[in-house]
Amino acid sequence: MRLTIERAVLLKALNHVQSVVERRNTIPILSNVLLQAQNEGLRLSATDLDIEISETAHAEVARAGATSAPAHSLYDFVRKLPENAPIKLELTGDDPRLFISAARVKLHLPVLPADDFPLMPADGFETRFSIHPTDLAKLIEKTRFAISTEETRYYLNGIFFHTVVDGGEAKLRAVATDGHRLALANVAAPDGAQGMPGVIVPRKTITELHRLLADATEPVEVAVSQQKVKFTLDQAVLTSKLIDGSFPEYARVIPKENAKVLKIDNKGFAEAVDRVATVSAERSRSVRLALETDKVTLTVNNPDAGVATEYLPADYSAEPMEIGFNARYLLDVAGQIEGQDAIFELNDSGSPTLVREEGDADALYVLMPLRV
Amino acid sequence: MMLCRACAHLFENGEHCPACGDDFLLTHAELGALSIAHIDCDAFYASIEKRDDPSLAAKPVIVGGGKRGVVSTACYIARAFGVRSAMPMFKALKLCPNAVVVKPNMAKYVEEGKVIRAMMQALTPQVEPISIDEAFLDLSGTQALHRAAPAQSLARLQAQIAEDRGLTVSVGLSFNKFLAKMASDMDKPRGFCVIGRADALDVLAPRSVSALPGVGPAAATALAKRGWRTIGDLRAAGERRLVEALGDWGRRLHQLSLAQDSRAVDPHGERKSVSAETTFFEDIRARDALEDILWDLSERVAARCRANALAGRTLTLKLRRADFQIVTRRTQLHEPTILAARIFAAARELLAPLAEGRTAYRLIGVGLSDFSDAAAADKGDLIDTRTPKQAAAEAAVAQTREKFGRGAVVTGRALRSHDKDD
């Protein structure tokens, strides 16, 4: 194998793939990045056995070949090389190491055989569609904060993607919940997505996918099977196992008949929550909302740290009520609302509350109240 | 010194008690000078059942879960037939076919344990409970208050428990916790055993190393390989050799072999975990059989959590393989719990990959830790709407059993064996 590649090109590709590599590995080859020099360039692949990211980078390939080298060493080294220096990668039969050189810098890295590298089989995908990167990013951004980290309910450790018919339109829907809050977002279902199996994409995959989306310009090709999902973004391909479990019947969690409606300026509300939460207890972070006609009073009462109160003007005409929420959850939801006003649909102090953005039917949030 | 076990009179010498004339006497030179006690209820569950159903009095009674379950507690009559705790029920019934099997009623046992604990606490505030039927007491300084030596107070308590509660306890009296516990075990049931400073070393010397806390069968085998079979052997080996061979644990064993134990009776010792474990009569491979025992243990842990108003969030499963290797697995629940069903469900998931049918186990245990107030436990959340219902159900079951007796409600796994029994 012998090739020349631009530093910036190699760095970008390495940056995309190396983050799936775990820092500590019991299987040595999982610390490596697979390097395949082919006609179309240098293909780099990394995996943790659950997620695999591959990317093809433009390179002048003088002699095809393949090997695998320590991902983090290679990435750190390339990062520290002088800019604009073309990098040479070479593996000869004489030296069992990968030789890397740029300007006056030389590096020899130990390698492991490319044949031993565990690539995921790339077949068996039944559903294929393409989606605009901003749509996919929206589904992720609006829901990922609600993903659970709890191990016992592993089936909540990801975003549930599936298609629904909502208001006569086919939608691709993302849902995440940790039991305390639930986030739901829709986009118009892309052609070919209808009827795809509902899949739970794990948190780590979501993180990697979101990172790749930041650089994506072309529509993202999505392929789904019962066990795996594959995203193709420009030159990068992310393949991931799915969470093997069934996502709970989330529809019954979404309140349908909460009659008390509060409309409030979202930015002002978020700032007020943040202010009063200064004195909230570390563990519960609880904020009490007292609703009366056209007014909301926020109170945090923490015997150890003090009492904070703030009232805000709001549209509210139902009977007065009080309800408590975790301040962080309120801020997470407020952070998702881009427009002027947030709508709260409430029932009573013990029942789930629905929050959405005024005029946006394609995202909603459900919050479990705290006892205050 | 002599103590009349009938009337708790303490006197110098004689064939009969000078106060009541009884000859149920205990003689020990240091009777008036010892104040650390260990009290252990005799065959607690079985004794309660016998008390509440006099027709059982003369019969062998086994408390446990149905024909497919395991023995929780066997009364002394059943024990005479060879029935032991944690023995599979079918085996116990083979040994003792006439035994009456009673389903455990944890709520009742917990209640009884509380009453007895309150009686202990009337003697001294220095009561350190170890489990629902067992506690250490420090009676130092109570002589003036009760106008009686600790030994007398304990004899009275023993008689009072028998009289008021219809249950017997065994008492160990010594000068530290280690010896007090050993003593209570030496003269069961309804025992009263004293180990004094003068005789402690002689009492310990011939006893097997496995009588020491922390020395199980595996450790005993390891010690025996070095020629240390009795506590006397350990003492003779000396601290240096023990530490060389066993590290800090060797130092601790050496101290114990010299009857030294500096742990104080600590009534306020905050509970860090509640657990229950059992060693099997014979090794078990089948997951089903392990789960049967696990259900029994889960109910015990839940009952103790309920009694102490403690809800735990971390669940630990412990298994000891036939080769004495200990395997532990731990998981975090998404909220604190006091429910047997949730303890069992989480423990069962941890058990599944371990109990694949090939590995033989000799012990299983389950425990909860990371406690918070039980009032905030088992509330459920958006996804988990079953838990609050389950919590209400278990609370109701605990109440119903208390009111209408043991057979009133059979739940969970016990239902399976219940159905099959009928």
Side-chain angles (χ1 to χ4, degrees):
Chain A
M1 183 178 98
R2 191 164 72 234
L3 61 93
T4 309
I5 187 166
E6 268 182 54
R7 174 184 173 273
V9 173
L10 181 57
L11 189 60
K12 183 178 167 201
L14 275 172
N15 182 36
H16 283 165
V17 303
Q18 57 89 28
S19 65
V20 293
V21 178
E22 299 282 355
R23 285 280 159 188
R24 273 190 212 101
N25 265 310
T26 46
I27 307 171
I29 203 160
L30 295 184
S31 300
N32 281 12
V33 55
L34 175 67
L35 303 167
Q36 295 166 295
Q38 305 151 334
N39 288 338
E40 57 268 41
L42 176 65
R43 186 174 173 80
L44 301 94
S45 307
T47 183
D48 68 357
L49 295 181
D50 291 323
I51 308 173
E52 173 187 302
I53 302 183
S54 292
E55 179 149 334
T56 306
H58 177 75
E60 301 291 333
V61 177
R63 194 164 71 233
T67 188
S68 83
H72 291 129
S73 310
L74 183 60
Y75 174 64
D76 287 344
F77 183 71
V78 172
R79 205 161 43 84
K80 293 169 186 173
L81 285 176
E83 277 177 50
N84 302 324
I87 301 172
K88 280 186 193 139
L89 273 77
E90 192 168 2
L91 185 75
T92 65
D94 310 336
D95 189 346
R97 296 175 299 181
L98 179 66
F99 175 58
I100 304 152
S101 64
R104 300 180 306 281
V105 195
K106 291 181 172 58
L107 172 70
H108 291 272
L109 280 181
V111 296
L112 289 169
D115 291 345
D116 294 349
F117 196 87
L119 286 174
M120 284 190 196
D123 51 354
F125 295 103
E126 298 127 24
T127 308
R128 289 170 192 275
F129 59 91
S130 81
I131 180 170
H132 200 274
T134 52
D135 278 352
L136 190 52
K138 178 192 162 187
L139 290 177
I140 291 173
E141 284 159 10
K142 294 232 173 239
T143 54
R144 68 167 170 172
F145 68 90
I147 299 175
S148 167
T149 51
E150 172 205 318
E151 284 169 31
T152 40
R153 294 189 292 187
Y154 57 92
Y155 47 83
L156 300 181
N157 297 156
I159 297 179
F160 179 51
F161 288 94
H162 58 303
T163 52
V164 292
V165 176
D166 185 9
E169 279 181 72
K171 307 263 187 182
L172 177 62
R173 174 174 288 178
V175 182
T177 180
D178 62 4
H180 305 291
R181 61 260 177 86
L182 176 143
L184 177 153
N186 292 325
V187 296
D191 288 344
Q194 290 92 329
M196 74 173 228
V199 294
I200 310 170
V201 181
R203 164 190 288 276
K204 188 178 176 187
T205 307
I206 294 293
T207 306
E208 295 301 330
L209 176 60
H210 191 253
R211 247 166 29 85
L212 295 174
L213 279 168
D215 291 337
T217 50
E218 303 288 313
V220 179
E221 299 295 327
V222 184
V224 182
S225 75
Q226 298 284 352
Q227 287 84 32
K228 281 181 302 182
V229 63
K230 183 168 87 171
F231 301 93
T232 307
L233 310 94
D234 300 351
Q235 296 302 310
V237 181
L238 167 66
T239 313
S240 169
K241 287 187 187 161
L242 296 165
I243 292 178
D244 181 14
S246 37
F247 200 78
E249 288 288 332
Y250 69 87
R252 63 176 171 78
V253 171
I254 299 170
K256 310 261 180 323
E257 286 160 357
N258 282 4
K260 297 170 185 162
V261 180
L262 166 77
K263 183 168 139 184
I264 193 163
D265 175 73
N266 183 55
K267 188 159 171 283
F269 176 71
E271 286 169 359
V273 169
D274 194 26
R275 268 192 293 273
V276 294
T278 314
V279 295
S280 68
E282 198 65 40
R283 226 182 147 133
S284 76
R285 303 269 294 147
S286 119
V287 177
R288 191 173 72 225
L289 274 56
L291 281 65
E292 50 202 309
T293 305
D294 292 343
K295 180 180 162 189
V296 178
T297 308
L298 283 67
T299 309
V300 172
N301 188 346
N302 177 5
D304 299 329
V307 185
T309 310
E310 176 163 350
Y311 69 87
L312 295 167
D315 287 358
Y316 184 74
S317 52
E319 63 195 86
M321 67 172 287
E322 293 200 357
I323 190 165
F325 292 107
N326 181 314
R328 191 160 58 80
Y329 298 169
L330 286 176
L331 291 173
D332 280 343
V333 167
Q336 299 309 317
I337 292 175
E338 292 148 26
Q340 177 77 29
D341 290 324
I343 308 285
F344 284 70
E345 294 176 16
L346 307 109
N347 180 26
D348 60 42
S349 65
S351 316
T353 294
L354 189 138
V355 188
R356 56 186 175 80
E357 179 172 342
E358 190 179 34
D360 183 359
D362 277 328
L364 64 82
Y365 310 94
V366 181
L367 291 175
M368 188 82 179
L370 292 172
R371 271 156 288 269
V372 287
Chain B
M1 296 288 279
M2 301 190 85
L3 174 72
C4 172
R5 303 264 319 264
C7 73
H9 186 64
L10 198 64
F11 55 99
E12 279 304 325
N13 226 327
E15 297 267 304
H16 299 274
C17 171
C20 71
D22 208 297
D23 60 357
F24 191 25
L25 304 177
L26 173 70
T27 310
H28 195 280
E30 296 172 46
L31 260 177
L34 302 168
S35 58
I36 307 291
H38 178 260
I39 298 184
D40 195 0
C41 300
D42 302 320
F44 191 52
Y45 302 172
S47 304
I48 293 175
E49 297 301 344
K50 286 199 170 199
R51 177 197 69 189
D52 293 351
D53 183 353
S55 73
L56 297 176
K59 293 177 185 157
V61 168
I62 298 173
V63 178
K67 274 179 201 149
R68 298 204 50 201
V70 289
V71 176
S72 272
T73 310
C75 78
Y76 283 88
I77 302 174
R79 287 184 199 189
F81 287 90
V83 178
R84 296 286 178 270
S85 293
M87 185 181 276
M89 193 61 80
F90 74 89
K91 186 140 276 168
L93 289 175
K94 210 175 269 175
L95 289 167
C96 185
N98 298 325
V100 180
V101 178
V102 179
K103 299 222 165 60
N105 180 349
M106 290 309 298
K108 183 159 81 174
Y109 309 150
V110 166
E111 236 7 83
E112 192 63 52
K114 275 189 191 164
V115 173
I116 291 174
R117 189 170 305 159
M119 293 167 82
M120 294 175 184
Q121 279 158 342
L123 276 190
T124 170
Q126 297 297 107
V127 176
E128 179 184 329
I130 308 170
S131 69
I132 103 178
D133 61 347
E134 207 184 330
F136 285 113
L137 285 76
D138 183 348
L139 292 144
S140 314
T142 60
Q143 181 128 18
L145 179 69
H146 300 303
R147 298 180 197 284
Q152 291 176 281
S153 298
L154 290 164
R156 282 180 198 156
L157 175 67
Q158 194 173 31
Q160 192 196 347
I161 292 173
E163 176 116 333
D164 293 0
R165 309 307 308 167
L167 297 170
T168 67
V169 300
S170 291
V171 177
L173 178 63
S174 189
F175 55 93
N176 65 36
K177 282 169 42 167
F178 157 53
L179 293 172
K181 180 153 167 85
M182 182 172 271
S184 75
D185 216 32
M186 282 162 59
D187 181 25
K188 270 181 155 294
R190 204 175 187 176
F192 198 123
C193 181
V194 180
I195 300 177
R197 289 173 207 277
D199 59 343
L201 293 183
D202 293 337
V203 171
L204 288 179
R207 303 186 79 80
S208 158
V209 290
S210 51
L212 295 171
V215 180
T221 312
L223 293 173
K225 274 194 192 134
R226 297 174 186 273
W228 301 325
R229 285 181 182 79
T230 65
I231 298 175
D233 292 340
L234 289 176
R235 194 183 306 152
E239 180 170 7
R240 204 168 53 86
R241 282 182 60 203
L242 287 173
V243 172
E244 272 172 14
L246 311 163
D248 278 348
W249 185 51
R251 186 167 292 118
R252 170 88 182 137
L253 290 183
H254 181 248
Q255 285 167 353
L256 292 176
S257 77
L258 291 172
Q260 294 168 359
D261 177 17
S262 56
R263 293 172 302 158
V265 173
D266 180 9
H268 306 295
E270 204 173 300
R271 230 177 226 285
K272 296 220 165 50
S273 70
V274 170
S275 61
E277 63 177 47
T278 190
T279 305
F280 312 142
F281 177 67
E282 54 186 32
D283 295 347
I284 299 181
R285 285 187 169 78
R287 186 192 302 174
D288 220 34
L290 289 167
E291 286 181 356
D292 285 342
I293 300 167
L294 193 58
W295 172 253
D296 181 56
L297 297 175
S298 301
E299 278 211 309
R300 284 173 188 238
V301 169
R304 268 159 56 192
C305 285
R306 190 177 288 279
N308 291 295
L310 288 174
R313 221 188 140 184
T314 302
L315 181 131
T316 309
L317 175 75
K318 172 178 161 188
L319 289 152
R320 195 199 284 273
R321 296 205 306 242
D323 62 4
F324 294 106
Q325 286 269 6
I326 289 183
V327 187
T328 56
R329 292 287 181 273
R330 196 164 287 210
T331 188
Q332 280 269 324
L333 307 173
H334 67 267
E335 64 169 349
T337 191
I338 57 164
L339 301 182
R342 286 182 97 182
I343 295 169
F344 176 68
R348 179 195 215 177
E349 275 200 16
L350 296 179
L351 177 65
L354 299 170
E356 77 310 276
R358 289 187 305 276
T359 315
Y361 293 101
R362 63 191 322 273
L363 171 149
I364 190 167
V366 65
L368 271 184
S369 54
D370 188 10
F371 288 123
S372 50
D373 188 356
D378 301 309
K379 298 294 180 202
D381 58 27
L382 288 171
I383 299 305
D384 176 9
T385 49
R386 223 175 118 221
T387 291
K389 291 172 197 160
Q390 214 157 37
E394 282 200 22
V397 164
Q399 276 179 8
T400 311
R401 280 179 172 165
E402 209 174 321
K403 243 183 188 170
F404 299 107
R406 54 182 182 259
V409 187
V410 185
T411 59
R413 229 179 154 77
L415 188 59
R416 226 177 49 162
S417 41
H418 186 78
D419 287 345
K420 286 187 177 134
D421 294 350
D422 296 341

